[in-house]
Amino acid sequence: MKLENYISGKFVESDSGEWMNDYSPATGEIIGKVPKSNERDVDKAVKSAKEALPYWSSLTHNQRADWLDKIADCLELKYENIAHLESKDTGKPISLAREVDAYRSVKNFRFFANMIRDLEVEYFEMEDATNRVIYKPVGVGALITPWNLPLYLLSWKVAPAIGMGNTVICKPSELTPMTADLLMKTIDEINLPKGVVNLIHGDGKSAGSPLVSHDDIDLVSFTGGTSTGSIVAQSAAASFKKLSLELGGKNSSIIFNDCDLEKTVTGVVRSGFLNQGQVCLCGSRILVQEGIYDQFIQKFVEEVENMKIGDPSDENTALGALISPEHLSKIEEYIRIAKQEGGRILTGGYPCLPKEFENGNWIAPTVIADLSVESRCSTEEIFGPVVTIHKFTNDEHAIQIANNTRYGLAGSIWTEDLEKANRVAESIHTGMIWINTWLHRDLRTPFGGVKDSGIGREGGRWSIGFFSETMNICTKHD
Ligand code: NDP
């Protein structure tokens, strides 16, 4: 499969004439080729988005919401195709690609269509004047996304961005370009006005970096690693581009003595290992109160060992492959570090190669105990199927451990005492906390982190706010 950039309503090769391979994480085979775009491609894409802006931004909210619905309708027809491409490109189980990636990609367009249609002008009356607050487009947006939830995250940005009247250039991860291409084909099929959505493939250095620093980019929405986020922030700040950063996480699952143990174990296994632990929200630090520590560990390890790892296209597979050989090496290195730091591997910790996939990137789900809460493995983002378990005594101790990282994205609390859960939740320095559940999303709520996990919030009205400029018009009465 040879993919092309999508600029001004046309599929085109890169000006560079260079190509990059797209590999299957499960088998190591080459499954596609993507253009290695450069600053000239970026320039063309930005020009196309700029030219499309006057017409697109002149449409009403309702007209643009209708376009979002058209995209959702057309994507919905490709539901199975999205799931298969995503599973093949990322190595994730097909059931997950169907339930999470395909489902949310369609839902994101539908959700923002409804939200934008319902947007009302706000009025603030004074005794002698009326204030009218309106939403205007920001301009041309750069939307940069990672490889773990490719279309899910891209659609999360494209829908509110174009819904609010901006035109955009998408830059998906070079590792997972397939469903971004499918979205462009969908947009082409429904004849969305040309230039409203453009896409350039390529890596961060040759395509992402010139895109962020381009003079005609007004807004940058970036999801990815914290170190890349820092580079993006510095580049965007030079010309005061509107910026949203959704970055890494090292999230705690806090488990109290009085939790419902069965449900908690199932919930915490899911939060530790969904998508092979490659979700920014994954609960990779498991804090267990001392009264149930041994009992929890026994049940938890049993349930982890019962997860079926293997062929991503098998409906019963729970764990697939890791995204790349480099990522696998990084995770193996963290397991080595854990051993040096005095960690005890309770299960996993070794490469695990299903026979037909011996050239893919596989590792058994890994549970590590006995590490200090200051250790590297319990404070740094590993972003793989590796969790560390720690013991705590009381609420204050749990809060102190949970806050002891540079990250502040999310977390979960497991207890039957909801008053305690809410009190502890408010003391945790993150943007989101779940109580007795995990990754239970209402798209109207704010999504984002604090500290090194990012700047700003997306989701619901926070996305509307980010992807628009609010303007107040004050009229004095006679
Ligand atoms: P990266 O930061 O490596 O890459 C993210 C995107 O940025 C990719 O498209 C990448 O391109 C691009 N990029 C790289 N360098 C630059 C640059 N200098 N300028 C502009 N763009 C650039 O992240 P990963 O793809 O490895 O994703 C994993 C990370 O994403 C984890 O840390 C995870 O926590 C985080 N994440 C955060 C989420 C959140 O909502 N908070 C959600 C999902 C993931 P390319 O890869 O093609 O080089």
Side-chain angles (χ1 to χ4, degrees), residues 1-5 12-14 16-21 32-37:
M1 208 170 160
K2 212 169 174 187
L3 309 185
E4 290 175 317
N5 292 336
V12 289
E13 291 190 4
S14 162
S16 73
E18 290 179 62
W19 296 86
M20 304 166 87
N21 291 330
K33 293 216 172 273
V34 285
K36 185 172 179 183
S37 306

Side-chain angles (χ1 to χ4, degrees), residues 40-55:
R40 289 186 298 280
D41 300 305
V42 168
D43 212 41
K44 286 180 198 160
V46 175
K47 189 162 173 273
S48 150
K50 211 175 161 188
E51 282 170 4
L53 191 61
Y55 168 70

Side-chain angles (χ1 to χ4, degrees), residues 431-450:
M432 297 162 283
I433 286 274
W434 283 280
I435 297 174
N436 294 328
T437 185
W438 176 78
L439 193 39
H440 195 52
R441 287 277 294 131
D442 179 332
L443 302 189
R444 293 168 302 178
T445 62
F447 183 101
V450 300

Side-chain angles (χ1 to χ4, degrees), residues 20 144-149 153 171-175 202-205 207-212 222-229 231-232 245-249 278-281 327 330 381 383 407 409 447-449 453:
M20 304 166 87
I144 302 181
T145 46
W147 45 260
N148 61 335
L149 295 159
L153 289 172
K171 210 304 274 172
S173 167
E174 83 200 55
L175 301 174
D203 62 20
K205 206 167 158 209
S209 178
L211 178 60
V212 172
F222 172 86
T223 300
T226 295
S227 51
T228 318
I231 297 169
V232 166
L245 298 172
E246 301 287 354
L247 308 177
Q278 301 168 133
V279 178
C280 52
L281 306 164
H327 195 52
K330 176 188 146 186
E381 185 186 46
F383 212 58
Y407 297 105
L409 189 58
F447 183 101
S453 290

Side-chain angles (χ1 to χ4, degrees), residues 11-305:
F11 288 93
V12 289
E13 291 190 4
S14 162
D15 195 84
S16 73
E18 290 179 62
W19 296 86
M20 304 166 87
N21 291 330
D22 179 22
Y23 297 91
S24 153
T27 64
E29 290 163 352
I30 296 175
I31 52 174
K33 293 216 172 273
V34 285
K36 185 172 179 183
S37 306
N38 60 21
E39 69 273 12
R40 289 186 298 280
D41 300 305
V42 168
D43 212 41
K44 286 180 198 160
V46 175
K47 189 162 173 273
S48 150
K50 211 175 161 188
E51 282 170 4
L53 191 61
Y55 168 70
W56 184 248
S57 60
S58 75
L59 298 185
T60 63
H61 288 158
N62 277 348
Q63 286 171 316
R64 289 194 296 259
D66 289 346
W67 279 110
L68 296 188
D69 272 336
K70 276 189 204 168
I71 298 175
D73 291 343
C74 193
L75 267 187
E76 201 157 27
L77 298 174
K78 303 177 201 290
Y79 202 88
E80 264 315 286
N81 201 6
I82 298 174
H84 277 98
L85 284 177
E86 214 68 297
S87 171
K88 200 169 171 184
D89 217 11
T90 63
K92 72 178 68 187
I94 182 72
S95 57
L96 181 69
R98 200 176 280 130
E99 279 160 32
V100 173
D101 299 74
Y103 172 76
R104 260 294 293 278
S105 303
V106 175
K107 191 168 174 192
N108 285 341
F109 281 102
R110 261 272 196 260
F111 169 78
F112 281 111
N114 291 334
M115 179 127 204
I116 286 159
R117 207 171 268 125
D118 290 345
L119 263 186
E120 283 176 9
V121 175
E122 272 186 285
Y123 292 94
F124 296 91
E125 295 294 346
M126 301 166 76
E127 256 178 35
D128 58 349
T130 297
N131 294 281
R132 184 166 64 94
V133 178
I134 59 165
Y135 295 97
K136 300 207 296 192
V138 183
V140 177
L143 312 180
I144 302 181
T145 46
W147 45 260
N148 61 335
L149 295 159
L151 189 56
Y152 174 122
L153 289 172
L154 188 60
S155 52
W156 181 240
K157 297 183 189 298
V158 172
I162 63 169
M164 292 312 292
N166 307 284
T167 55
V168 299
I169 297 99
C170 311
K171 210 304 274 172
S173 167
E174 83 200 55
L175 301 174
T176 53
M178 297 278 186
T179 49
D181 177 67
L182 178 138
L183 177 61
M184 295 310 115
K185 288 186 173 134
T186 305
I187 278 167
D188 199 58
E189 241 172 81
I190 63 161
N191 290 318
L192 187 78
K194 65 180 188 178
V196 172
V197 177
N198 305 272
L199 176 136
I200 49 162
H201 292 287
D203 62 20
K205 206 167 158 209
S206 61
S209 178
L211 178 60
V212 172
S213 61
H214 197 290
D215 284 344
D216 289 334
I217 289 289
D218 303 297
L219 160 160
V220 177
S221 171
F222 172 86
T223 300
T226 295
S227 51
T228 318
S230 164
I231 297 169
V232 166
Q234 288 173 49
S235 167
S239 51
F240 307 107
K241 295 176 167 64
K242 204 169 180 190
L243 179 66
S244 163
L245 298 172
E246 301 287 354
L247 308 177
K250 186 73 181 178
N251 313 294
S252 297
S253 307
I254 303 176
I255 298 150
F256 285 97
N257 287 339
D258 61 358
C259 70
D260 175 327
L261 195 58
E262 299 291 323
K263 284 190 192 150
T264 301
V265 167
T266 302
V268 176
V269 168
R270 177 171 167 266
S271 98
F273 295 100
L274 192 82
N275 204 29
Q276 296 75 248
Q278 301 168 133
V279 178
C280 52
L281 306 164
C282 272
S284 53
R285 322 166 78 211
I286 302 176
L287 317 184
V288 188
Q289 200 164 15
E290 54 192 356
I292 56 163
Y293 185 77
D294 292 334
Q295 204 186 348
F296 176 85
I297 282 192
Q298 191 208 333
K299 285 185 182 292
F300 183 77
V301 169
E302 243 169 57
E303 201 157 319
V304 169
E305 288 178 344

